[in-house]
Structure formats: C-alpha cells, structure tokens
C-alpha cells in the first residue's frame, strides 16, 4: 500500500494508543504490568507505532503543496518556529516537575516559574507542537499534514492529559505549580529565557538543519542558500 491511507492508519494507531495508554487504560495496564512493566510496554508501543508512521511517511506519495512552502516568508516562518521549538525543548529538561523524578513534588512546590516555565508549564510538548507547525508551514502536502499534524495534536492533547494525571498523583504540589504557570504559551515572556538556552538552541538548530540535507535530501534553514 503506497497511498496516503497507509500513513493515515499509522497516525491513527500512533495517536490512539498514546491517548488510551495515557488515559482510560493506564490504571488497568499498571495493575497488570506494574509501573516498570507499563513504562517498558508504553515505550515499546510508542517506538513501534512511531516507526510504522515514519516508514509510511517515507513511502507516501509526494503530492502537490497547498501553498508555496519554498517562499521566503514560509521559509523564514518555519526557521523561526524550529528555533523556538528547540528553545522550548532545551529549557524543559531543567528542573521540570512534569518529568519523572523522585523529587518532582518538591520541585513543583518550591520552584519559581522562571525561564521557559514563565512561558508555559509544558515546554517540551509545545516544542514538539512548534516543530510540527514549522514542517507544515514549509511542506504543506498531505503526508506532512498527517505526520506533523499527528505529532502536534498528540503533544497538546498529551499535555492536557498530563495536567489531569499530575493533579491526581501529586495533589497540592501540582496544583501549586499549575497556579503559577499557564498551559497556553505567553510569548511575551520569552525574553526571560536566559541566553545560554538561546545560544544552545541556535547551535543545535544549525546542526540539525545541516543534517537535514544529507539525511532528508532537502536543505533546511540557512543551508538552503549556502
């Protein structure tokens, strides 16, 4: 099967299994497998379904674009979005109460909402969503809409599920953290993100966009002109 339906099927399974295992099936699965077993099973399912979706994307037909993704405006917008995505993702790994950590409750209760957390309490998920949006902007064809749309949709829906789950498992500590932060990004607070994160994101952006050519066959970022 080489048409878009194979990719669409993979995307539905990828998103659906994540939502089910993060929501209604999670308590049941943990009861059967235990916390560690569930984490292993969840990771394996995520890898297999993501691999299926990536393979299906590779073989999906390259149909015409809905607009000119190579236009300078589209290219600049995509470049800015991918740089911002990396800033969000880099910032998300530093004392993030949403990540698995034995002291997550203490971090949620005590830390101030500074840096990228002054923008949103879900910087990693929003980073993925921004990455997805960037690829839709520069490659608005059906297969990119399905792949990037699935990843972006899952990131944001996953954030909402995470809020509910953390509220149940961390109680007042997560409630306190949620009261100091916001789900939707406050882009006016991006100026509070320290320069090392911007510098690190810029270096990563240059490296990743450079690799986009030899790996993906399409130049990205500034390498389009170099």
């Amino acid at each position: 099967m080489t048409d878009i339906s194979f990719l669409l099927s993979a995307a539905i399974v990828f998103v659906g299994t994540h939502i089910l295992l993060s929501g209604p099936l999670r308590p049941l699965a943990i009861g059967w497998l235990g916390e560690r077993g569930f984490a292993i099973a969840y990771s394996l399912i995520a890898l297999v379904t993501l691999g299926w979706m990536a393979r299906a994307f590779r073989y999906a037909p390259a149909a015409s674009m809905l607009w000119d993704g190579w236009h300078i405006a589209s290219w600049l917008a995509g470049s800015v979005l991918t740089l911002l995505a990396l800033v969000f993702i880099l910032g998300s790994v530093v004392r993030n109460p949403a990540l698995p950590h034995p002291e997550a409750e203490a971090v949620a209760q005590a830390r101030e909402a500074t840096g990228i957390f002054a923008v949103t309490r879900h910087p990693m998920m929003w980073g993925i969503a921004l990455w997805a949006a960037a690829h839709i902007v520069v490659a608005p064809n059906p297969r990119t809409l399905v792949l990037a749309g699935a990843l972006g949709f899952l990131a944001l829906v996953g954030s909402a599920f995470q809020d509910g789950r953390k509220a149940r498992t961390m109680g007042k500590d997560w409630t306190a953290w949620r009261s100091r932060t916001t789900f939707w990004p406050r882009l006016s607070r991006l100026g509070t993100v320290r320069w090392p994160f911007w510098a690190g994101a810029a270096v990563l952006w240059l490296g990743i966009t450079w690799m986009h050519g030899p790996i993906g066959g399409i130049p990205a970022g500034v390498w389009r002109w170099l």
Side-chain angles (χ1 to χ4, degrees), residues 107-149:
V107 172
Q109 187 177 55
R111 78 158 295 168
E112 295 297 322
T114 56
I116 200 64
F117 295 102
V119 181
T120 175
R121 65 177 165 273
H122 294 293
M124 182 175 291
M125 297 299 195
W126 275 103
I128 295 170
L130 289 172
W131 175 92
H135 284 75
I136 290 173
V137 167
V138 299
N141 55 55
R143 68 176 191 169
T144 301
L145 290 173
V146 172
L147 176 67

Side-chain angles (χ1 to χ4, degrees), residues 1-19 45-60 143 145-151 153-154:
M1 187 187 302
T2 58
D3 61 16
I4 199 70
S5 63
F6 187 48
L7 174 58
L8 187 59
S9 299
I12 291 171
V13 173
F14 174 76
V15 173
T17 52
H18 275 73
I19 290 176
I45 292 171
L47 286 173
V48 169
T49 54
L50 180 61
W52 176 18
M53 192 165 62
R55 183 174 179 81
F57 174 84
R58 179 181 177 186
Y59 289 103
R143 68 176 191 169
L145 290 173
V146 172
L147 176 67
L151 291 171
F153 174 80
L154 182 59

Side-chain angles (χ1 to χ4, degrees), residues 7-117:
L7 174 58
L8 187 59
S9 299
I12 291 171
V13 173
F14 174 76
V15 173
T17 52
H18 275 73
I19 290 176
L20 289 173
L21 290 173
S22 298
L25 292 184
R26 184 183 180 90
L28 184 62
I30 290 177
W32 285 346
L33 304 172
E35 289 281 356
R36 182 176 177 81
F38 171 77
I40 293 172
Y42 186 97
S43 299
L44 287 174
I45 292 171
L47 286 173
V48 169
T49 54
L50 180 61
W52 176 18
M53 192 165 62
R55 183 174 179 81
F57 174 84
R58 179 181 177 186
Y59 289 103
S64 59
M65 294 188 180
L66 300 178
W67 60 82
D68 184 8
W70 281 80
H71 190 278
I72 185 64
S74 300
W75 206 259
L76 288 175
S79 296
V80 170
L81 286 171
T82 49
L83 178 60
L84 283 177
L86 288 170
V87 172
F88 275 62
I89 292 170
L90 280 181
S92 73
V93 301
V94 180
R95 300 186 71 235
N96 185 352
L99 296 179
H101 192 277
E103 298 180 0
E105 289 84 356
V107 172
Q109 187 177 55
R111 78 158 295 168
E112 295 297 322
T114 56
I116 200 64
F117 295 102

Side-chain angles (χ1 to χ4, degrees), residues 154-178:
L154 182 59
L156 300 186
V157 171
S159 298
F161 271 108
Q162 188 179 70
D163 268 342
R165 186 171 67 253
K166 291 293 184 180
R168 292 190 297 271
T169 58
M170 295 173 63
K172 61 182 178 60
D173 296 321
W174 186 259
T175 301
W177 176 241
R178 188 165 57 184

